[in-house]
Amino acid sequence: MDHTGLTPAEAQQRLAQDGPNALPVSQPRSVLRLVGDVVSEPMFLLLVACGALYLVLGNRQEALMLLGFVFVVMGISFVQQRRTERSLEALRDLSSPLALVLRGGQTQKIAARELVCGDTVLLAEGDRVPADLELTHTANLALDESLLTGESVPVQKQAGGQAGGAEAVQAFSGTLVTQGSGQGRVVATGEHSALGRIGQSLQGIATEITPIQRETNSVVKTVAVAGLALATALALAYGLLRGDWLGGLLAGLTLAMAILPEELPVILTLFLGLGAWRLSRQKVLARSIPAVELLGATTVLCVDKTGTLTANRMAVRRLWSGSALYDSLKDSAAPLAEALHGVLEYAVLASHRRAYDPMETAIVGAGAELLAQTEHLHADWALVEDYPLSPAMLAMSRVWQSPDQQAYLIAAKGAPEAIVDLCHLPGPEREQIAQQVAAMAADGLRVLGVASAQFAAPPLPGNQHDFDFVFLGLVGLQDPVRPDVPQAIAACQAAGIRVVMMTGDHPATALAIARQAGLATDAPPMTGQELAELSDADLRERLATTQVFCRVQPEQKLRLVQAFRARGDVVAMTGDGVNDAPALKAAHIGVAMGARGTEVARQAADLVLLNDDFASIVTAVRYGRRVFANLRKAIVFVVGVHVPIVGLSLVPVLLGWPMLLMPVHILFLQLIIDPACSVVFEAEPLEAAAMAVPPRSADAHLFDRSVLARGLWQGCGLLALLLGVYAGARALTYSDDMARALVFTVLVLANLGLIYANRSWTRPSWRKGAARNRYFGWISAATVLLLACVLGIPPVSRLFAFEQPTSGMLLAAVGVALVGLLWFEGVKWALGRKGR
């Protein structure tokens, strides 16, 4: 055993040589980098270029409004991403920032990041292991390695000279000391530790943009190029046919403004940004904002067991005494049977009062609950001696002195076979106990035996076998399923999402938890050994039926995620441990636990559940489906509103009529279109049956035939109405300015009707039961007020080239707009029937 450790000079030299003991997780993005990421978005660059073009051509009002709106959207994106980064910084794991080391013959506490190879580290119960250690001395040492392996049962550790096996003599960075004490020499720090190597493996897994981002980028570029080409052709045709090149430039610019889809990037950015903001209010942090939308397409949800499906804390599930049985799932409301009081009483006495071991913590907690108000809790008893667990004897005994008895009372607990051996039981009783142990183990329980003894007077024997033990019963413990998990899994399955479990635990434990959580267990589980022997083709075939994967290693979780992706599934992966991080990053959507989860897992994930609530995943899926559904509604509105705008910019020029729409009119319409897309549709709740249907296809398009058909039919009908209004006004010999005012009034009011009709695709807009949307009311009121100002204030009317219509004309315009609403509802009804 090293009694001096490194000298301070040696430690300083190695720190300079090897670097700090810090995990290779990504650093927070700087403000400049965040700004750069937002500014470099191709969609934003396109809009800035359009605004600059308008400015060069002298359309200052349009240019300034477009540029101003773009920068507002950029500001929202920046604030959202900066808020996300700050939230992650607040989540950083600070559970054990100090390490107790031996340097220069003195014990001292230092920052864990200052540890170097060769340092001697001292471990005690409750410590987090700060680096990879080779153990040189142990005393009943057990470590919780679940963050690395997924195995919830603590692992016994021994010094190198006491036992073979490399892992038995190593303590890995990030694991927790649950029992005993030890001393070890640092053999790996930072990225070279077990924790760091898993973090480093994340760098080889590429991230990718979502299909919607790719599709929107493509549509924006295509429409922009086509629109500019069409606008140029219109300007040339106008100039050649009429000889008015200035008017041709104005007509071309107006058409370009009508066609350019500046709303699309605004819609996508704001929908995803506001969706992430709404999720954050539900305690779900979106590290990758586009992943919010992709959640709605999830077909497979891969979940870790320990800490995700379960609470990662042991609890007493069963007590058995030979004559009585207690099961917490069935008997929690009933008082504990008298025959079981002694079992739990002596199990508590055999545990540490300040327990770090999760099983002892569970036993002490169960005693406080089930033995309350009884004489079986003994806070006034004094501990006399402790016989610790050892490799030779898998049982521990504690000797107590009662204030009212001279004889010592001994409580023992441990592996059932060790307790049976201590009690020297005959064959038939051994067989009965073995059958009960097997039944508990088949249900995934960790089983301990409990015994009691009395000893007359000191001196105490040196061996537990010298006590005359009486067998009391068995205690079955289990890491319980989180209370919200069964309902959440049922909701996922109702939504067509397949849930599979991946764990490092024993098959019996995995199947028991799967049954309690509500997963199908008809097919046998697949073990890590079976998985290693399967080819990719055979694995793909087994994936169709296997729901539970157990005894899997971290790299096998990664292989499973990649195999599901290869089948065409959209994969979401949940986890909290370092062992989950590569699979989290490889999945389409990685979901990490925020409170208990490791920093490496959080950095690899797209979403972080801040309150570790598994039900939040269902909420996130619901929001993902809502974002996609409302995006489609907004796209229908954009198509439907642009058809008449483009038509009114193009048809009058082709027919030799005066120009109906000018840039100022289109700028006014943007005051309706952009807020409607960005606020009204985004705020619409999810349709009632949306979580009772399967996920959309992985290759489903945002701009598919259904969306385009709905928008084109609604828009073409509105264009026909508007052209009819203009033709009727000309037939009645109204002036061009009066006809333009009537057409514009109908267009603005019909736009409000288009919003109203497309808020829901499953019911008529006026039917009771439709959720209220306060933003629609505000935008409608603001639009009508602005329209009244444009029509009623002479200087503004002249700017718009309007002549003030009479009240009768305005009533007629309202009537035509209502006809347009009926047309929109008719299209919705007809296409809805066709889609069923």
Side-chain angles (χ1 to χ4, degrees):
M1 187 188 302
D2 187 356
H3 295 285
T4 59
L6 297 177
T7 66
E10 288 174 328
Q12 196 63 37
Q13 180 183 357
R14 294 189 184 185
L15 182 62
Q17 177 182 328
D18 299 336
N21 177 35
L23 290 179
V25 294
S26 58
Q27 296 299 314
R29 289 178 288 179
S30 66
V31 172
L32 287 178
R33 185 181 166 193
L34 283 172
V35 171
D37 288 346
V38 174
V39 170
S40 62
E41 279 286 330
M43 294 183 289
F44 286 121
L45 293 177
L46 176 64
L47 293 180
V48 171
C50 292
L53 177 62
Y54 295 158
L55 201 59
V56 170
L57 294 175
N59 297 293
R60 182 173 298 175
Q61 290 176 321
E62 292 89 339
L64 291 179
M65 179 175 179
L66 181 60
L67 290 172
F69 197 64
V70 167
F71 285 113
V72 167
V73 173
M74 289 168 59
I76 292 173
S77 299
F78 170 77
V79 169
Q80 176 64 34
Q81 292 187 29
R82 185 62 179 159
R83 181 185 301 167
T84 299
E85 293 291 341
R86 285 177 175 169
S87 298
L88 279 169
E89 291 171 22
L91 281 172
R92 294 192 183 279
D93 190 7
L94 299 175
S95 59
S96 183
L98 299 177
L100 185 63
V101 299
L102 193 62
R103 282 188 179 174
Q106 301 291 323
T107 58
Q108 54 183 289
K109 282 194 174 183
I110 64 170
R113 62 180 287 109
E114 296 176 8
L115 281 175
V116 296
C117 289
D119 259 327
T120 299
V121 177
L122 306 178
L123 300 174
E125 286 187 1
D127 286 350
R128 183 80 63 180
V129 178
D132 283 3
L133 307 178
E134 181 182 340
L135 297 170
T136 56
H137 173 73
T138 60
N140 196 29
L141 180 66
L143 301 182
D144 177 359
E145 296 184 343
S146 62
L147 290 180
L148 284 171
T149 66
E151 175 67 63
S152 58
V153 178
V155 179
Q156 293 293 321
K157 296 289 181 177
Q158 297 154 24
Q162 295 173 292
E167 293 194 359
V169 300
Q170 282 187 296
F172 296 107
S173 176
T175 57
L176 180 69
V177 180
T178 60
Q179 177 181 291
S181 61
Q183 178 176 311
R185 183 176 59 85
V186 175
V187 293
T189 61
E191 63 183 20
H192 304 293
S193 67
L195 211 62
R197 286 193 298 272
I198 294 179
Q200 204 171 29
S201 70
L202 302 180
Q203 299 172 5
I205 303 173
T207 55
E208 55 189 86
I209 64 173
T210 66
I212 275 194
Q213 287 177 302
R214 285 195 296 270
E215 186 181 2
T216 304
N217 282 339
S218 174
V219 168
V220 168
K221 292 172 184 176
T222 302
V223 174
V225 171
L228 290 173
L230 188 60
T232 303
L234 180 65
L236 290 174
Y238 192 102
L240 290 172
L241 293 174
R242 302 192 182 188
D244 182 1
W245 291 100
L246 187 60
L249 182 61
L250 183 61
L253 180 58
T254 303
L255 182 61
M257 290 184 64
I259 294 178
L260 284 177
E262 66 267 26
E263 301 90 356
L264 295 183
V266 168
I267 291 169
L268 182 61
T269 302
L270 280 183
F271 268 54
L272 296 179
L274 289 173
W277 173 73
R278 292 182 189 278
L279 270 179
S280 70
R281 298 179 67 187
Q282 303 294 325
K283 301 298 183 183
V284 179
L285 177 68
R287 291 198 72 242
S288 170
I289 293 177
V292 174
E293 169 274 323
L294 193 57
L295 266 171
T298 300
T299 57
V300 173
L301 175 60
C302 302
V303 297
D304 178 47
K305 180 189 76 71
T306 305
T308 304
L309 291 180
T310 65
N312 198 39
R313 56 172 179 78
M314 300 298 280
V316 172
R317 167 78 184 278
R318 286 185 195 163
L319 296 170
W320 178 82
S321 70
S323 61
L325 176 67
Y326 167 83
D327 190 316
S328 62
L329 296 183
K330 303 173 184 175
D331 308 319
S332 57
L336 187 66
E338 186 66 35
L340 295 170
H341 281 193
V343 179
L344 187 53
E345 174 188 9
Y346 276 84
V348 172
L349 287 171
S351 304
H352 293 81
R353 282 175 171 165
R354 291 188 58 188
Y356 288 97
D357 181 88
M359 290 189 290
E360 290 197 343
T361 302
I363 289 170
V364 171
E369 178 185 352
L370 298 175
L371 298 178
Q373 312 301 321
T374 71
E375 71 278 7
H376 298 287
L377 293 177
H378 309 289
D380 57 340
W381 285 20
L383 180 65
V384 177
E385 185 59 270
D386 196 354
Y387 293 83
L389 197 74
S390 70
M393 172 52 66
L394 298 178
M396 60 177 294
S397 299
R398 311 195 87 202
V399 182
W400 296 90
Q401 177 71 66
S402 168
D404 54 0
Q405 287 190 35
Q406 285 191 342
Y408 292 144
L409 297 169
I410 300 95
K413 75 174 192 308
E417 60 273 18
I419 295 296
V420 166
D421 186 47
L422 283 176
C423 296
H424 308 293
L425 295 177
E429 289 188 38
R430 287 174 180 259
E431 183 63 28
Q432 182 188 14
I433 294 169
Q435 290 176 359
Q436 187 61 37
V437 169
M440 288 188 177
D443 287 336
L445 303 186
R446 176 81 166 167
V447 186
L448 297 177
V450 181
S452 68
Q454 290 192 10
F455 197 77
L460 291 169
N463 193 308
Q464 299 179 67
H465 268 289
D466 294 332
F467 294 118
D468 188 16
F469 280 108
V470 176
F471 184 81
L472 296 178
L474 300 173
V475 178
L477 300 107
Q478 188 177 53
D479 184 6
V481 170
R482 292 173 180 267
D484 59 312
V485 162
Q487 185 177 355
I489 287 181
C492 287
Q493 292 168 340
I497 301 172
R498 182 181 170 201
V499 183
V500 299
M501 183 173 78
M502 302 176 184
T503 178
D505 250 334
H506 189 275
T509 305
L511 282 175
I513 293 298
R515 283 192 290 268
Q516 292 177 40
L519 296 178
T521 55
D522 301 333
M526 182 187 294
T527 64
Q529 183 176 353
E530 292 178 73
L531 177 60
E533 295 170 355
L534 289 177
S535 67
D536 289 344
D538 292 337
L539 174 59
R540 195 174 299 117
E541 186 177 337
R542 288 284 301 275
L543 289 181
T545 56
T546 305
Q547 305 292 105
V548 178
F549 301 87
C550 50
R551 291 297 192 202
V552 293
Q553 301 299 316
E555 64 273 11
Q556 291 178 322
K557 289 186 179 183
L558 176 60
R559 185 188 176 196
L560 285 169
V561 168
Q562 292 170 335
F564 275 117
R565 290 190 60 153
R567 291 176 71 240
D569 286 305
V570 177
V571 183
M573 169 79 191
T574 73
D576 64 345
V578 174
N579 63 313
D580 301 319
L584 285 173
K585 191 168 184 180
H588 290 99
I589 307 107
V591 184
M593 299 297 169
R596 179 188 177 271
T598 59
E599 178 64 20
V600 174
R602 289 195 292 266
Q603 290 284 350
D606 300 293
L607 301 178
V608 180
L609 307 184
L610 299 181
N611 58 359
D612 286 5
D613 184 359
F614 186 81
S616 297
I617 295 175
V618 179
T619 302
V621 170
R622 185 180 294 111
Y623 273 81
R625 293 193 177 189
R626 169 181 168 174
V627 165
F628 189 80
N630 288 346
L631 270 171
R632 287 167 62 85
K633 294 175 184 177
I635 297 301
V636 167
F637 170 72
V638 168
V639 173
V641 82
H642 272 267
V643 167
I645 295 175
V646 172
L648 293 177
S649 302
L650 190 60
V651 171
V653 175
L654 298 178
L655 297 181
W657 296 349
M659 285 183 61
L660 269 175
L661 293 183
M662 301 174 191
V664 66
H665 301 127
I666 296 175
L667 185 64
F668 180 93
L669 291 170
Q670 295 296 331
L671 294 175
I672 308 171
I673 297 171
D674 290 331
C677 295
S678 306
V679 179
V680 175
F681 287 111
E682 192 282 328
E684 281 298 314
L686 190 64
E687 302 277 5
M691 286 297 287
V693 297
R696 68 177 190 270
S697 171
D699 57 356
H701 293 287
L702 185 61
F703 301 85
D704 63 10
R705 181 179 300 177
S706 168
V707 165
L708 295 177
R710 193 182 294 262
L712 288 172
W713 274 108
Q714 291 180 342
C716 288
L718 178 55
L719 174 60
L721 277 176
L722 294 170
L723 291 175
V725 169
Y726 186 72
R730 285 173 63 88
L732 294 173
T733 66
Y734 291 158
S735 67
D736 290 338
D737 287 356
M738 179 65 77
R740 183 180 293 110
L742 287 175
V743 170
F744 188 78
T745 300
V746 173
L747 176 58
V748 170
L749 296 177
N751 277 353
L752 295 178
L754 197 58
I755 300 170
Y756 187 61
N758 283 295
R759 285 175 52 208
S760 173
W761 287 353
T762 58
R763 63 164 69 91
S765 305
W766 53 78
R767 179 180 293 176
K768 288 185 178 180
R772 296 182 60 185
N773 189 327
R774 57 180 178 173
Y775 298 108
F776 175 70
W778 293 350
I779 287 176
S780 298
T783 299
V784 171
L785 181 61
L786 286 173
L787 181 62
C789 292
V790 167
L791 295 175
I793 301 175
V796 180
S797 293
R798 286 192 295 272
L799 178 64
F800 278 72
F802 287 165
E803 184 178 323
Q804 187 172 1
T806 65
S807 56
M809 295 177 184
L810 290 176
L811 284 175
V814 171
V816 174
L818 289 175
V819 172
L821 175 61
L822 292 176
W823 168 254
F824 304 149
E825 288 290 344
V827 170
K828 185 169 76 175
W829 176 79
L831 292 180
R833 284 191 62 190
K834 185 178 178 181
R836 285 198 286 269

